[in-house]
Amino acid sequence: MFEKTLEYAIDGTLKGRMGEEAYNKAIAQQKTISEEAYGTIKYLAEFAVRPMFRTPVHKTPADHGMATWEDVYFPSSDGTPLEGWYIPSVRGSSDKLIIINHPMPMSRSGFTGHFGEPFSGVDTLEIDFVAHMSHLSKAGYNILAYDLRNHGTSGAANGGICGIGRYEWRDVVGAQQYVKNHPKLGRMKCGLYNRCTGGNAAYEAMYRHPELFADIKCFFGPLTVSMTALMTSFAGLMGLDQYMELMDLEQLKLGGFTNGEMRPQDYSHAVKVPYFMAQVLDDVWTDNPKDAQEIFDGISSEDKELLWIEGTNRRFDGYNYFGVNPEKMIAFFNKHMR
């Protein structure tokens, strides 16, 4: 008769990635955790490493008065097909380009929590990134906005796993190569607007291929986050933060990364251009101000600024902030992209 047992062997590479002490803790936790709590840990592990849905591209540039744009397609550095928009400035001819990507699990246009399930299971807000693009377009900037792999309308890759930057840096490199090789875009002054997962990805892209970013004028990077801070906070809200080692094991079993492997702090030192970070000070999903301050302190730029968004504890309010309050965003790009 088949007998279910927890005394099985896990591939040594998993044990090696976690470290022996953490691995042994995970196995011990697996033996004692309740079935209900284990189900929640598995749910959180999947949330950490795989977008549970694709947020649709629910708005177009025309929704905010940008009547002219082009659909663009280009490969990531590993060949994953990426899709996006090129939006010329509504003010006419411009030699300034902002390259924009987005967080997990969103798309280039934002997030559709107002559509209900499955999106509202994460947050009920609508996030409108096209509003941000409109402010930049009206300020005289051309825009290249694209969906990361496994998001929006871009291609699938890595078994659907999101590395919160650990795979997505290849998309940032692909976008930069597309711009550099483009007969028109390649002649423009270029700045980055990369949020959260997209910001983490840009740190690693700059670390791995600094030569591609030598001419970048500046980097606007709101809401980058370490997954240790994010997932420990999620688990804590559910009273399960004593099982973080088991969560890491479940993430590896899904083919993803441990939370400790998804640390932007390991790559943020590669950012040497003028940099602007914004974070929700009382973000209930992280351990701010600690996590954000660590990431910010690691940025190598001499010219850098950290804005704390106050008056809310909702992380998703931070994503909408510059769509409603664009002044600091515009001032930052105007200062560094003359």
Side-chain angles (χ1 to χ4, degrees):
M1 178 183 294
F2 174 75
E3 181 180 351
K4 181 180 178 182
T5 175
L6 294 174
E7 300 295 331
Y8 52 79
I10 299 293
D11 189 303
T13 59
L14 302 188
K15 186 174 182 178
R17 285 170 66 183
M18 289 185 66
E20 185 170 2
E21 182 179 357
Y23 173 81
N24 289 337
K25 283 185 178 179
I27 296 301
Q29 291 165 5
Q30 190 180 49
K31 293 176 179 178
T32 59
I33 191 171
S34 71
E35 183 176 349
E36 181 181 4
Y38 200 5
T40 302
I41 288 294
K42 289 180 177 180
Y43 171 83
L44 289 172
E46 185 153 6
F47 178 87
V49 301
R50 182 183 290 127
M52 295 180 178
F53 48 76
R54 283 188 181 240
T55 298
V57 179
H58 71 299
K59 290 195 170 182
T60 73
D63 289 309
H64 284 281
M66 297 172 285
T68 303
W69 78 91
E70 301 173 29
D71 293 320
V72 296
Y73 322 92
F74 54 88
S76 170
S77 65
D78 65 5
T80 303
L82 306 177
E83 299 198 7
W85 297 315
Y86 171 67
I87 310 169
S89 168
V90 296
R91 288 175 52 177
S93 179
S94 170
D95 66 348
K96 300 173 183 178
L97 177 70
I98 308 296
I99 304 175
I100 305 177
N101 63 24
H102 60 85
M104 187 271 275
M106 305 180 195
S107 73
R108 78 190 91 134
S109 70
F111 185 71
T112 51
H114 61 307
F115 283 1
E117 293 292 346
F119 316 107
S120 58
V122 176
D123 199 296
T124 57
L125 284 181
E126 177 188 13
I127 295 171
D128 185 355
F129 288 150
V130 185
H132 303 219
M133 300 174 202
S134 175
H135 293 307
L136 290 167
S137 179
K138 292 172 183 175
Y141 295 96
N142 306 310
I143 296 156
L144 175 68
Y146 64 97
D147 293 324
L148 297 168
R149 65 187 58 210
N150 300 316
H151 292 78
T153 58
S154 284
N158 313 112
I161 295 297
C162 179
I164 316 297
R166 300 308 317 277
Y167 288 132
E168 296 75 14
W169 67 265
R170 304 170 192 176
D171 305 338
V172 177
V173 168
Q176 195 64 21
Q177 290 172 330
Y178 172 74
V179 168
K180 282 186 171 292
N181 294 327
H182 194 280
K184 180 172 66 174
L185 306 187
R187 297 195 300 268
M188 296 181 183
K189 300 172 186 175
C190 186
L192 302 179
Y193 184 1
N194 295 342
R195 317 165 180 91
C196 193
T197 295
N200 290 11
Y203 297 162
E204 188 163 352
M206 289 177 149
Y207 170 80
R208 293 181 179 274
H209 290 281
E211 73 285 356
L212 287 175
F213 300 89
D215 296 327
I216 291 292
K217 297 298 184 182
C218 56
F219 185 158
F220 195 71
L223 293 154
T224 50
V225 66
S226 75
M227 289 301 281
T228 297
L230 193 76
M231 298 313 298
T232 301
S233 294
F234 281 171
L237 290 169
M238 298 179 180
L240 297 174
D241 52 340
Q242 70 270 38
Y243 296 114
M244 296 309 298
E245 292 83 6
L246 182 55
M247 188 190 299
D248 275 339
L249 180 59
E250 292 301 320
Q251 289 171 203
L252 290 178
K253 286 161 62 178
L254 289 166
F257 296 91
T258 68
N259 291 308
E261 289 175 320
M262 296 185 282
R263 275 175 43 88
Q265 290 92 329
D266 294 336
Y267 303 100
S268 59
H269 62 86
V271 180
K272 299 177 181 178
V273 298
Y275 181 81
F276 189 107
M277 175 187 280
Q279 295 277 351
V280 176
L281 178 62
D282 297 320
D283 186 349
V284 72
W285 285 3
T286 73
D287 64 354
N288 278 351
K290 180 178 179 293
D291 187 60
Q293 192 68 55
E294 285 181 356
I295 299 169
F296 180 77
D297 289 346
I299 299 289
S300 296
S301 313
E302 293 182 3
D303 186 342
K304 60 182 182 179
E305 180 181 352
L306 171 54
L307 170 69
W308 291 111
I309 298 170
E310 300 186 58
T312 181
N313 64 3
R314 295 180 71 172
R315 181 172 183 80
F316 277 30
D317 284 337
Y319 293 124
N320 272 330
Y321 183 83
F322 293 103
V324 179
N325 306 283
E327 296 81 14
K328 287 184 178 293
M329 173 180 70
I330 299 299
F332 174 77
F333 285 121
N334 284 350
K335 177 181 178 182
H336 296 292
M337 293 189 64
R338 297 178 199 154

